[in-house]
Amino acid sequence: MASGTIHYKFKSAKTFDTLAFDGSFIAVSELKRLISEKKGLGKDHACELVLTNAQDGNEYDDESALVWKNTSVIVRRVP
């Protein structure tokens, strides 16, 4: 299976980080989980991650929505 990458950064960050996964797309819920694990946010249940497409500014509000590989997203932590 082909692997894909997502480029993400927190709103306050200056540079994008890369997250690799298997396949051509990834569900928003899975992407949030992987970002939380990579950044060590798994224990902080007081905040939720909100993902926004960096190119068109659309927010991913459906947890089952698919994000295609090579997409850049902006991550915000909200209470």
Side-chain angles (χ1 to χ4, degrees):
M1 182 175 269
S3 65
T5 57
I6 294 288
H7 307 285
Y8 71 95
K9 76 177 190 94
F10 283 85
K11 192 170 182 176
S12 61
K14 295 187 187 290
T15 60
F16 282 88
D17 291 322
T18 302
L19 184 68
F21 62 93
D22 290 331
S24 297
F25 49 82
I26 187 170
V28 169
S29 59
E30 180 69 7
L31 180 56
K32 287 180 179 181
R33 186 185 66 78
L34 292 174
I35 291 171
S36 293
E37 286 179 3
K38 189 168 184 179
K39 292 296 186 178
L41 303 174
K43 295 177 178 71
D44 185 11
H45 295 290
C47 292
E48 182 182 340
L49 298 182
V50 175
L51 305 180
T52 305
N53 186 308
Q55 283 82 18
D56 59 20
N58 289 331
E59 188 174 297
Y60 294 104
D61 52 1
D62 181 5
E63 292 289 316
S64 62
L66 300 177
V67 181
W68 286 93
K69 66 180 181 180
N70 298 325
T71 301
S72 297
V73 295
I74 307 296
V75 181
R76 288 184 301 128
R77 290 175 66 182
V78 294

